[in-house]
Structures are given as C-alpha cells and as structure tokens.
Amino acid sequence: MTRRLLVTGGAGFIGSNFVRHWRDNYPHDYMVVLDALTYAGNCENLAYLEGEENFRFVRGDIKDAALVKRVLETHNIDVIAHFAAESHVDRSILGPRTFVETNVLGTFTLLEEFRYYWETQGKPVNYRFLHISTDEVYGSLTSDAPRFEETTPYAPNSPYAASKAGSDHLVRAYNHTYQLPTIITNCSNNYGPYQFPEKLIPLTCINILMGKSLPVYGDGKNVRDWLYVGDHCRALDIVINYGEPGETYNIGGNNEVENINLVRMICQLMDEFIPELPVKPAGQLITFVKDRPGHDRRYAVKTSKIRKQLGWTPTMTITQGLRLTVQWYLNNREWWEPLLSQEYQSYYQRNYKTDN
Ligand code: NAD
Ligand code: TYD
C-alpha cells in the first residue's frame, strides 16, 4: 500500500531526518512537507528531493487553516506526521508567545482541518494523525525516581513543555470525542545530524572549533536521556504502520547521561579528531554558567510499551551515536556555518548575557 504523507516541520531537525528515512524505506510513497521555515527550518535539508515527482515542499504556517485544508485536499493526504513546533526551552523562557501560538493553536488548526477532511472522506480507517511530542510534558524526576511511563500524570514546567502538553491534550481529545485516528509519541532528547546549532550537542562541537567557552548550566548534573534521531525515525515508522489509534508511546534511547559528562565526552572526541584546536584539551573551555530558570533535573522514559507491543528498541549507544554526530558536524561545516547568523548571535547574547 502506498501512502500519501503530510510532514509538518519537515525542514527542521527531526522532521528532515524522518523525510530521509521515509524516502529511503518507502521510495514510492508521496510526501508533502509543510514548513514555515522559521529560524529552525532549513530547506537545504530537503534540497536533494527537489524536482522529484512524488515530493512537494509547501512553505506555510500550520496555523493557516485555508492552506492546511488546501494541502490535504490537493494531495489526498492519508497520514499526517506532525513535527512542526517551536522546540527550544531557552527560547520559550525568553519569549513564550510563539510557543503557545504554534504548538497549541497550530496543532489545533491541523486537527480541526484533518477532522473535517477525514469526515468528508467517510472516516477511512487507515488514516493517521501522528503527533510528535516530548517527555518534558511529564515534568522532572529526582535522581532515583522510576522513569516516566505513558500513564505518568502531566506536570510540564517550562513554557515549551506546557505548550506541548496543551497540544497533546487536544490530540487526545480529538481521538476521544471524534474518534479521529490520532497517535501521540513522547520522546526523549534527540541528537544526530542536522540539529540546529543552539542545542547542547551541536553548540558544544561548534564552540570547541571556534575556541569559545562551553556554557554548562548550574552544576551540570542535570540528566537527559539521549535518543539517536535515526532510532527515533525508525520508531515513528513502526508507530505509523502498526501503532494503535488513541494510544501514546514513549520513545527513549536508554542512555541517561549527566550534562557535564556529555560535554566532557564531546571534548574528548574533538581532542581525538582534530590535531589543532584553538584550545586543547578542549575541556579547558567548560564554563559553569547561571542555571536555566526552572531547569528540570532529570528526564527518562520507560520504553517497555513500544518494545512489547510494537517490537521497537533503540540500537545506538551514546558512545557510538556521539562519535557519528561529532564526525557529522566536522564534515558538514558548510551546513552549519551559515546558520550562525545575526539572529543566532543576538539570541546567543540574550540567552547567555550574564556569563559570556
Ligand atoms: P526544530 O526546531 O529543529 O524544527 C521545527 C520545524 O518546524 C522547523 O523546520 C520550523 O521551520 C517548523 N515550524 C515552526 N513553526 C512552524 C509553523 N507555525 N508552521 C509550520 N512550520 C513551523 O524541531 P525538532 O527538534 O526537529 O523537533 C520536532 C518535533 O519533535 C517538535 O514537535 C518537538 O517538540 C519534538 N521533540 C523534539 C525533541 C528534540 O530533542 N529535538 C525531543 C522531544 C520532542
Ligand atoms: P537542550 O538541548 O536545550 O534540551 P532540553 O532542555 O530540551 O533538554 O539542553 C539539554 C540539556 O543541556 C539541558 O539540561 C540544558 C543543558 N544545557 C546547558 O547546560 N548549556 C547549554 O548551553 C544548553 C543549550 C543546554
């Protein structure tokens, strides 16, 4: 069976990795990417698909109901993979409004237009709305607490997490009320190729290359579970094909690491890969800076539901995945250099102003 997918946010980090995964595995499927190309969206990520018969790129906003309706109808979409979002916690602290607008209102608009379209088509049972969300909706764990499960109550702490939680609730309600075939996935911190430079792993690699300080928030002992983006895309593929509508699946990498240890691992890799760095060993650049307001201590998800029900497990260890990722940033300077724009510099100044 060939599918006709609408991938929102497909020019961003995870979305573009997902498009690549889907194209490699289902070359005959039709894909439309709808992306507003915000600071985080980059059409270079999809340039290799230009001119392909079964691929379309539409620049536009998920809050534009008329556009969403037109895209669904024109391209006979049967699966929405919804990645589009404002995704960075630090930016949500500096300016929460766009997070509510895109993550809550944008998701609402997509749901409403998809519902209308699905009902008009006679409620086909094979249609899917996959909503990609985060483990941050569950709040923060203490160091010895059991990992989040799909049944853990929501307790979002940042404006970003609250906006994602709001969108998750709407997705759930559309399934419960209208039987719209929605599925939610809540994943842990992704890493890998094509991640925007402001996130911890690329930021650390790039700052080492430039001899800039490596800002570590607070005491550096906050823990994140790291999921390689390729493992994540494989999980989303399985969820689209075999997941149960109305269900939620947690997706994690089973790789919990303290931030400071992660940064040290990257420093070691850079020391190993590059004979001449502006500052070597790179670990000398580590600088503890003022903590992020409301900084969650630890996130980690249990992945037993998706393992038992759908047979998915992550394959990449953080040691292997970091090696690949650091190498990718070293080999793809021409991808990230243009992203260190004026806008990026001014964000950087605002976010790290007291310490850098
Ligand atoms: P990203 O910031 O790299 O990309 C987001 C994309 O959405 C960009 O291409 C951007 O242009 C587009 N976009 C933003 N607002 C839009 C709008 N109003 N209309 C249309 N397009 C818009 O994000 P990412 O890291 O790839 O994350 C993708 C999804 O996964 C998000 O929903 C995020 O909440 C979720 N998630 C990410 C992580 C992670 O570690 N990166 C972890 C858990 C969940
Ligand atoms: P981030 O990549 O922003 O993801 P999230 O906040 O969604 O988990 O950050 C990962 C962790 O790294 C988080 O605990 C915050 C921390 N961090 C720093 O210590 N310094 C930094 O400059 C950044 C961007 C993040």
Side-chain angles (χ1 to χ4, degrees):
M1 177 183 57
T2 56
R3 299 270 206 175
R4 303 180 67 86
L5 281 82
L6 170 60
V7 183
T8 72
F13 164 45
I14 308 176
S16 65
N17 276 281
F18 174 82
V19 167
R20 210 171 277 266
H21 168 96
W22 204 273
R23 176 55 74 240
D24 289 348
N25 287 277
Y26 308 99
H28 302 298
D29 282 2
Y30 187 85
M31 267 190 289
V32 181
V33 165
L34 172 62
D35 198 298
L37 296 182
T38 67
Y39 79 94
N42 186 347
C43 41
E44 285 301 310
N45 299 351
L46 305 168
Y48 67 103
L49 290 166
E50 218 170 279
E52 268 205 17
E53 190 54 37
N54 53 358
F55 176 80
R56 294 286 181 278
F57 178 79
V58 178
R59 182 172 188 175
D61 196 313
I62 55 167
K63 298 193 298 298
D64 183 342
L67 173 66
V68 171
K69 179 177 161 62
R70 198 163 64 242
V71 168
L72 292 173
E73 290 176 355
T74 309
H75 300 285
N76 297 315
I77 298 301
D78 50 46
V79 174
I80 296 186
H82 174 35
F83 296 88
E86 288 295 332
S87 70
H88 191 66
V89 173
D90 292 324
R91 286 190 191 246
S92 84
I93 296 168
L94 294 171
R97 178 173 295 277
T98 52
F99 286 72
V100 176
E101 288 171 352
T102 290
N103 300 358
V104 182
L105 271 179
T107 302
F108 166 71
T109 306
L110 278 179
L111 283 166
E112 196 52 6
E113 292 309 317
F114 191 60
R115 173 172 82 90
Y116 174 80
Y117 166 77
W118 171 75
E119 285 173 350
T120 313
Q121 307 267 316
K123 303 186 178 179
V125 289
N126 62 321
Y127 280 27
R128 290 290 177 275
F129 184 108
L130 172 63
H131 177 63
I132 288 85
S133 190
T134 169
D135 58 1
E136 304 193 22
V137 297
Y138 298 121
S140 182
L141 292 167
T142 53
S143 58
D144 52 356
R147 290 176 287 166
F148 301 127
E149 296 180 55
E150 286 80 357
T151 50
T152 303
Y154 276 29
N157 286 321
S158 69
Y160 163 67
S163 68
K164 291 298 289 188
S167 65
D168 291 12
H169 290 322
L170 282 167
V171 174
R172 181 193 144 89
Y174 269 67
N175 174 262
H176 190 81
T177 306
Y178 307 110
Q179 290 78 53
L180 194 71
T182 64
I183 303 180
I184 299 173
T185 54
N186 296 89
C187 66
S188 55
N189 285 56
N190 281 229
Y191 70 107
Y194 301 100
Q195 187 165 32
F196 193 78
E198 69 191 3
K199 300 283 172 77
L200 181 65
I201 291 176
L203 182 138
T204 303
C205 295
I206 292 168
N207 281 16
I208 292 172
L209 284 173
M210 297 165 97
K212 281 181 72 175
S213 72
L214 308 177
V216 175
Y217 297 156
D219 63 3
K221 291 195 178 0
N222 302 66
V223 173
R224 296 294 183 263
D225 168 51
W226 293 95
L227 170 65
Y228 191 70
V229 67
D231 274 335
H232 185 198
C233 292
R234 198 167 40 80
L236 298 176
D237 174 345
I238 293 171
V239 169
I240 288 172
N241 282 307
Y242 305 106
E244 203 53 53
E247 290 295 319
T248 285
Y249 300 94
N250 285 346
I251 306 173
N254 298 335
N255 280 304
E256 286 187 56
V257 189
E258 281 184 356
N259 290 341
I260 184 64
N261 291 336
L262 186 78
V263 171
R264 286 198 184 114
M265 286 165 79
I266 299 171
C267 289
Q268 277 166 12
L269 286 169
M270 294 291 276
D271 286 340
E272 178 192 327
F273 291 149
I274 312 217
E276 282 183 27
L277 282 171
V279 176
K280 202 166 179 179
Q284 294 172 80
L285 292 168
I286 293 174
T287 311
F288 290 93
V289 299
K290 191 154 90 45
D291 208 355
R292 169 190 281 174
H295 195 178
D296 283 337
R297 196 62 174 167
R298 174 177 164 240
Y299 306 134
V301 291
K302 273 199 185 141
T303 53
S304 41
K305 178 171 173 181
I306 190 167
R307 174 166 49 79
K308 285 185 192 145
Q309 296 188 6
L310 303 180
W312 175 88
T313 46
T315 56
M316 195 70 86
T317 65
I318 187 72
T319 315
Q320 297 167 321
L322 259 193
R323 258 192 121 70
L324 286 178
T325 304
V326 170
Q327 266 161 349
W328 190 87
Y329 279 90
L330 291 178
N331 294 336
N332 290 278
R333 240 188 137 109
E334 71 289 354
W335 180 84
W336 55 261
E337 258 174 355
L339 304 179
L340 309 182
S341 61
Q342 203 61 48
E343 193 281 338
Y344 180 79
Q345 305 301 344
S346 92
Y347 156 74
Y348 203 95
Q349 289 295 328
R350 281 210 299 155
N351 194 50
Y352 299 99
K353 62 175 178 293
T354 50
D355 303 283
N356 286 278

